[in-house]
Amino acid sequence: MVDIKKFLTKKTVISLALGQFVSLLITSTGFSSSELARKGINAPTSQSFANYVLLAIVYGGIRIYQKKKLQTKWYYYLLLALFDVEGNFLVVKAYQYTSLTSVMLLDCWTIPCVILFTWLFLKTKYRIRKFIGVAVCVAGLVLVVFSDVHAADRAGGSHPIKGDLLVIAGATLYGVTNTSEEYLVKNVDRVEVMAMLGLFGAIISAIQIAILERNELKAIHWSAGALLPYSGFAAAMFLFYSTVPILLQISGSTMLNLSLLTSDMWAVLIRIFAYHEKVDWMYFIAFAGVVVGLIIYSGGSKEEENKTQVAASGQSTVIDEEAGVRDQNQGSSALKV
């Protein structure tokens, strides 16, 4: 018989609480983006710009006060910010074309991407059960796309397939940033990562806004109805970016991805009760498929923070997720961003 007290340790409770907190945050960003799209506001980079500015000001200020030198090369952060900005751009853009539920479900494509990138760059070893879980997960994602083709009402957007493809592309970029960020927060000061991500993210966003979104910003009538979801999006994103590194350090990306899965349930509830939309029955089958796939994927694995440890001497330690078998590769870096 399972001892509940031993199972529900302080660390487990904190991980679950933080996981649901970030899940609600990511759901609120989806809700805000959907509301802005309904009001005809099409400025995805501008939505994320305020978040990067907040990260740069808050964490940059802390970093300046600490008076510490950078622990890794600045151009790594530039690449991280570039992938992150464009990932956010594509996913937020997708709300113009497809439903809130489709965006939230298809965003789970990040998980197989993380598996691929950790295998390629962090040299993580996976057993066959992991790939079976990914296959089931992908099957659920395919059902989401098919349901957008099949649904008669199409209440969620003007061009569902285009929106779905944008989400998949954005989720792939999220896979790159999640893998890189997990490595960085476990080997570099978290404040430095957030400060540099905010700095370069704000610069890249400003350049992209000047090129792509000048006319959109001029056309926006900044009423309370537009300003409220825009501000809510920025605040939720800032809290999300601030909390995710903590969850990654405590429990790893498996716990993060499983926690974010519940955001799909919140999204369905928002669509039904707030938007009064009819949800196609295949969404529920797709959601069940994603849940089963993620359970298979995460079942029996050790915490992902044990995946890769890079020694100060430059050795790369690669750990089998389940068996705990370590291989040491001399003189090579575990991650090349």
Side-chain angles (χ1 to χ4, degrees), residues 120-142:
L120 288 174
F121 299 109
L122 302 185
K123 307 303 179 185
T124 304
K125 294 180 180 180
Y126 295 98
R127 291 187 174 183
I128 188 65
R129 181 172 62 222
K130 301 292 182 181
F131 295 103
I132 293 174
V134 173
V136 176
C137 205
V138 171
L141 301 179
V142 171

Side-chain angles (χ1 to χ4, degrees), residues 189-246:
D189 182 29
R190 178 174 61 90
V191 174
E192 176 180 306
V193 176
M194 292 294 98
M196 298 302 289
L197 176 60
L199 175 62
F200 287 117
I203 293 172
I204 295 171
S205 296
I207 294 172
Q208 188 159 307
I209 290 169
I211 297 173
L212 300 178
E213 298 182 4
R214 289 177 299 172
N215 295 330
E216 286 80 358
L217 287 177
K218 291 179 181 178
I220 295 175
H221 176 61
W222 290 105
S223 62
L227 198 57
L228 185 60
Y230 180 85
S231 301
F233 180 90
M237 285 291 282
F238 174 76
L239 291 173
F240 177 80
Y241 274 66
S242 298
T243 308
V244 163
I246 300 174

